[in-house]
Amino acid sequence: MSEAKKKIALSGVVAGETAICTVGKEGVGLTYRGYTIEDLAAHATYEETAWLVLHGELPTRVQLDAFREQLIALRALPPTLKQALEPIPADAHPMDVLRTGCSILGTIEPEESSAAAPAVKSPAGAPPARDGLAVALRLLAAFPGILLYWHHFTHGRRRIETATNEPGVAAHFLHLLHGRSPSPELARAMDVSLILYTEHEFNASTFACRVVAGTGSDFYSCVCAGIGALRGPLHGGANEAAMAVIETYPNADAAEAGVLEALAKKQVVMGFGHPVYRSSDPRSDIVKSWSRKLAEHHAEAHLYSVSERIEAVMKREKNLFPNLDFFSASAFHFLGVPTSMFTPIFVFARIAGWAAHILEQRENRRLIRPTAEYTGPEPRAFVPRAQRG
Ligand code: COA
């Protein structure tokens, strides 16, 4: 738990328009392209959700089948990328691996029709230019393989095959992680998590993507900026930080005592509160029910009761609610995901949201450049080097 921080900058400031997603005018509820997060989590798959966010409408059956096939075909990594991943240290943070993998892929398969500054034009007769949407799908399909190729190579000297025939990103990731197909229940739990993490309006990482897109830069640079912003513990890194706290407690009573002590020291409890929601995070109850379900079969089921007690103490003492990251932490743990891969899961999902925003920002063709309130010294006389002591 870290020290309490200053208020959020630009909170409540309308910094642009979007037709992709809203958290509601009063910070209540969440919809992607008009569909509620509850409906999507109950009835859709991640692939349907990603298509919806990217194209504005739910896919037809034919479109969905073609989309799945397209993603499956894009899972294999180019040899140069694999070679570049191998020397990355085993103790590197997986978010740094994703950021690096994204950057390297951008040099091997550059975007050929960047919105403002085309880098390389396809010669006549060559395959169609790799545009922003094509890069988005490539990254959506390749991110789990980038992470797990590096992970298995650096932790076990194994060069894994990153292409599986799993129907969706969720099962594909769990398959690459554990070396076998997940059960339908585990795959669905991960699938729902991806849906919940797909998109969230002008959050910090999406805004970072849009700022880079606004300069006319290439798609990979936009996504690298998003990954960098997401990595921080006040944003995507909160799920890892929450897990680090939850697993220190052997039982619910110890958790209550620990959280009370932290609050007395005015520390921030990771996974609670939200920059936009004021009374609850609509995604939290959904992931909480999955965490409860997964705990039933898990040897460390106490992590669920620890989490529930922390939730109750935070409500009672601070009237604060858990955000998506809090119960995601125990759910991911029950799915056998190492804690350092929690935030990368956020990337696997959010790439769809980032992509939709990058493409939308490009349509607007606007540079984002706010103004600062200057707090430095007034103009003063230059002091020659010899007089500075
Ligand atoms: N733990 C302890 N106290 C918290 C808290 C937390 N997680 N979140 C907010 N508070 C406190 C604030 O410090 C503030 O106290 P004060 O009135 O004494 O200054 C009060 O509760 C109200 O804060 P609020 O205005 O609702 O929060 P914010 O908008 O300033 O900050 C976050 C929002 C997300 C940055 C903040 O809640 C936080 O740091 N949470 C933990 C990190 C996290 O989970 N991030 C993921 C977000 S999706």
Side-chain angles (χ1 to χ4, degrees), residues 42-65:
H43 307 299
T45 63
Y46 172 69
E47 281 67 26
E48 275 174 282
T49 308
W51 174 283
L52 168 71
V53 164
L54 286 167
H55 296 283
E57 297 296 336
L58 288 165
T60 64
R61 186 181 293 264
V62 171
Q63 286 169 331
L64 182 60
D65 288 347

Side-chain angles (χ1 to χ4, degrees), residues 4-8 233-235 238 263 267-275 278 283 314 318 320 323 325:
K5 72 294 147 256
K6 288 183 182 173
K7 289 288 175 204
I8 296 170
L234 294 186
H235 189 9
L263 292 179
Q267 290 175 336
V268 172
V269 180
M270 301 314 273
F272 283 85
H274 198 275
R278 291 294 113 199
R283 304 163 298 178
M314 290 300 284
K318 298 283 293 183
L320 280 172
N323 55 51
D325 291 318

Side-chain angles (χ1 to χ4, degrees), residues 49-118:
T49 308
W51 174 283
L52 168 71
V53 164
L54 286 167
H55 296 283
E57 297 296 336
L58 288 165
T60 64
R61 186 181 293 264
V62 171
Q63 286 169 331
L64 182 60
D65 288 347
F67 186 49
R68 282 187 188 284
E69 289 303 319
Q70 193 179 8
L71 293 178
I72 288 171
L74 289 169
R75 285 176 182 166
L77 305 183
T80 320
L81 174 54
K82 293 192 215 173
Q83 283 160 19
L85 292 170
E86 291 183 5
I88 297 177
D91 60 356
H93 193 285
M95 288 294 278
D96 297 342
V97 176
L98 287 183
R99 195 193 58 231
T100 305
C102 176
S103 204
I104 291 168
L105 195 61
T107 66
I108 302 168
E109 301 175 3
E111 184 181 8
E112 293 172 14
S113 58
S114 155

Side-chain angles (χ1 to χ4, degrees), residues 5 7 259 263 267-275 277-281 284 307-323 326-327:
K5 72 294 147 256
K7 289 288 175 204
V259 171
L263 292 179
Q267 290 175 336
V268 172
V269 180
M270 301 314 273
F272 283 85
H274 198 275
Y277 298 123
R278 291 294 113 199
S279 54
S280 71
D281 181 335
S284 177
S307 304
E308 248 195 338
R309 182 70 70 85
I310 296 175
E311 179 190 26
V313 174
M314 290 300 284
K315 179 76 190 158
R316 187 184 74 214
E317 299 294 322
K318 298 283 293 183
N319 198 25
L320 280 172
F321 55 90
N323 55 51
F326 188 68
F327 280 100

